[in-house]
């Protein structure tokens, strides 16, 4: 598995926005679990939002619902994380994740979270720092 490459992080003030990008061109032909994760210093990596490309709907963490949104470009080669109304609690290194998934369990939200959480290796991530 080749680690994905994230970009778009930076330092912003509370209330501002950022959009992160990730190249997922290796996952355009088969159904896959995809998503964004983040890890703050001293904390475990957590799922920000995950989805299965073979079904509708994206599952977001409660802490980001209504502020963050995941999307893809028309070619499905780029995965985005639009982050609005950022606050200092969103400061973390953000990682994108993708893995092919086949089988009847793939559309279940917990399946993609479980698969992606166990993914290895992870990319370098992109650092987001939000100051108050």
């Amino acid at each position: 598995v080749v680690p994905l490459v994230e970009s778009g992080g930076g330092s912003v003030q509370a209330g501002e926005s950022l959009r992160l990008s990730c190249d997922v061109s290796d996952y355009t032909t088969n159904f896959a679990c995809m998503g964004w994760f983040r890890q703050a210093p001293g904390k475990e990596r957590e799922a920000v939002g995950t989805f299965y490309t073979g079904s509708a709907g994206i599952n977001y963490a409660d802490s980001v619902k209504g502020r963050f949104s995941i999307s893809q470009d028309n070619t499905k080669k780029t995965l985005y994380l639009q982050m609005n109304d950022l606050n200092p609690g969103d400061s973390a290194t953000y990682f994108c994740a993708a893995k092919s998934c086949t089988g009847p369990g793939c559309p279940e939200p917990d399946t993609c979270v479980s698969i992606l959480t166990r993914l290895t290796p992870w990319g370098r991530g992109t650092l987001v720092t939000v100051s108050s």
Side-chain angles (χ1 to χ4, degrees):
V1 177
V2 178
L4 300 177
V5 179
E6 305 87 351
S7 63
S11 297
V12 296
Q13 298 287 322
E16 295 184 340
S17 300
L18 278 174
R19 188 176 76 164
L20 308 183
S21 301
C22 176
D23 180 1
V24 292
S25 54
D26 286 341
Y27 298 91
T28 60
T29 57
N30 297 315
F31 291 131
C33 289
M34 293 189 182
W36 287 90
F37 288 70
R38 68 185 181 184
Q39 186 169 21
K43 295 187 177 181
E44 292 189 356
R45 195 181 340 249
E46 62 174 355
V48 173
T50 61
F51 67 100
Y52 180 58
T53 60
S55 61
I58 299 174
N59 302 291
Y60 294 100
D62 288 342
S63 59
V64 305
K65 281 181 181 177
R67 301 187 298 121
F68 290 14
S69 63
I70 293 174
S71 63
Q72 289 183 271
D73 66 344
N74 290 338
T75 67
K76 304 296 185 184
K77 293 181 179 180
T78 303
L79 185 67
Y80 298 108
L81 176 64
Q82 177 67 42
M83 306 185 294
N84 298 326
D85 193 21
L86 286 160
N87 62 63
D90 297 316
S91 296
T93 299
Y94 284 71
F95 304 86
C96 66
K99 187 171 177 61
S100 297
C101 185
T102 58
C106 294
E108 297 297 324
D110 289 346
T111 298
C112 278
V113 173
S114 177
I115 288 173
L116 295 177
T117 297
R118 297 196 306 268
L119 194 68
T120 182
W122 289 84
R124 290 187 173 184
T126 186
L127 180 63
V128 173
T129 303
V130 185
S131 56
S132 58

